[in-house]
Amino acid sequence: MNRRVNNIFRRGSQSQATARLADATEGLEHASGLDRTIRVLSTAVKRTLRPGPVKDTLHGVPIGHPAHAPLTDLPIGMWVSAALLDLMPGTRRASQALVAAGLAGAVPTVLTGIADWSALHREQQRVGLVHAAGTATASMLYSASLVARYQGRDAAGRALGFAGLSALVAGAYLGGHLAFRQAAGASHADQLAHLVPLGWHDLCAAEELPDGWPVTRRLGYISLFVLRNGDEVHVLADRCSHLAGPLHQGRVITDDNADTCVVCPWHGSTFRVADGAVVHGPATARQPSFEARVTEEGILQVRPV
């Protein structure tokens, strides 16, 4: 009986500790004291990282999803492996090589993370700033660990490595909060395949659509971006896939390939209106699109592509 009570008490204590950790992490989302630092850093990043191929590559536009998340596997994998080898005899050179490889892998990881962070909303940036501080601390400790190992101070090198691993775990936890609780990097566009039934759906009278000016219309509870260009009508999901910005409030432009595009008013993601393809980031997921036709009665009908 006493053992059962002790087990229940222990599980309750663990649950409370987990709840406190989650509460503390969520508290970072409201840490307005970080905002001044965020403004300075994000302004500097935006001035340095101008729109173009380099910025798109750092966001992950060419591969169709954010590049930062998979790149984190490089330093994490290397440094965790080094920690395991540090617990075994005769692995000094292998551990040293893994620490160095982790530091090399941290470079593209940091660059892609900075690019993504600069285009997040404020609550995400607050958590992201502390996440970056944790991973930066880990990188500095592993750099010191590598220097100590090269100097033959293996005990100090191992100690610095384990300290770096602790900072890395803390930073990775906050990265998980960003990705899974705050949905940084996930597509925020309405997913039409399971929200819109198959077939054609009446949307509105075609004659009420202004020529060359985007408007929003609703299909059930889904908001749509609608743009009429002469006899052509283009329809996309209105919520930007990056962070759900309203595309119908964005600018309509013509890109270098003479394609008509819409620029999200929030963070500048650019989509081709003909099919929702990403032209420029920070968005990496295409914008869900619809086929459109006008019936003989002048009704615009749409169906998901």
Side-chain angles (χ1 to χ4, degrees):
M1 183 66 176
N2 288 337
R3 184 181 302 173
R4 186 182 306 167
V5 171
N6 289 336
N7 288 337
I8 293 173
F9 178 76
R10 192 156 44 243
R11 285 196 296 269
S13 299
Q14 292 171 348
S15 299
Q16 290 175 1
T18 302
R20 285 195 294 270
L21 178 60
D23 290 343
T25 305
E26 290 178 357
L28 290 176
E29 299 177 17
H30 309 288
S32 58
L34 300 173
D35 290 353
R36 183 175 181 180
T37 302
I38 288 170
R39 280 194 298 270
V40 172
L41 293 178
S42 61
T43 299
V45 172
K46 290 173 183 177
R47 286 177 178 172
T48 304
L49 193 60
R50 307 302 298 174
V54 173
K55 183 175 183 292
D56 289 341
T57 300
L58 290 175
H59 283 304
V61 173
I63 62 175
H65 62 73
H68 177 67
L71 283 174
T72 60
D73 292 346
L74 291 174
I76 290 175
M78 297 295 179
W79 289 339
V80 169
S81 299
L84 290 174
L85 291 182
D86 278 341
L87 299 174
M88 303 176 185
T91 58
R92 175 180 176 275
R93 294 183 62 185
S95 296
Q96 183 174 291
L98 286 171
V99 170
L103 286 169
V107 175
T109 305
V110 168
L111 293 176
T112 54
I114 290 172
D116 286 347
W117 175 83
S118 68
L120 296 176
H121 62 64
R122 188 50 51 88
E123 289 77 11
Q124 292 171 325
Q125 285 186 322
R126 290 166 180 165
V127 176
L129 183 63
V130 183
H131 160 70
T135 54
T137 300
S139 296
M140 288 187 291
L141 287 168
Y142 274 109
S143 296
S145 172
L146 185 63
V147 171
R149 292 168 194 266
Y150 269 116
Q151 293 175 344
R153 296 183 292 117
D154 293 340
R158 287 194 296 270
L160 287 166
F162 285 117
L165 184 62
S166 299
L168 183 67
V169 169
Y173 175 82
L174 293 177
H177 183 86
L178 269 169
F180 300 114
R181 293 288 292 273
Q182 294 184 290
S187 174
H188 289 256
D190 291 317
Q191 299 304 303
L192 306 178
H194 65 277
L195 295 177
V196 178
L198 298 176
W200 292 97
H201 305 274
D202 293 347
L203 189 61
C204 63
E207 64 179 13
E208 71 181 48
L209 298 173
D211 192 8
W213 190 264
V215 295
T216 182
R217 294 291 182 268
R218 296 196 69 82
L219 180 62
Y221 50 85
I222 296 175
S223 181
L224 301 182
F225 163 95
V226 184
L227 175 66
R228 180 169 74 87
N229 279 331
D231 294 332
E232 290 188 337
V233 180
H234 303 289
V235 182
L236 304 175
D238 190 48
R239 287 159 45 97
C240 175
S241 63
H242 176 232
L243 283 177
L247 289 186
H248 73 278
Q249 296 180 11
R251 292 182 295 117
V252 175
I253 64 171
T254 302
D255 69 1
D256 296 337
N257 297 319
D259 292 321
T260 301
C261 302
V262 59
V263 181
C264 179
W266 283 8
H267 300 99
S269 297
T270 305
F271 304 93
R272 192 166 57 218
V273 299
D275 58 3
V278 179
V279 177
H280 295 298
T284 58
R286 66 178 293 275
Q287 199 65 18
S289 60
F290 288 76
E291 290 184 71
R293 71 181 183 185
V294 178
T295 67
E296 294 180 356
E297 293 78 20
I299 301 299
L300 174 64
Q301 294 184 326
V302 296
R303 69 177 177 183
V305 174

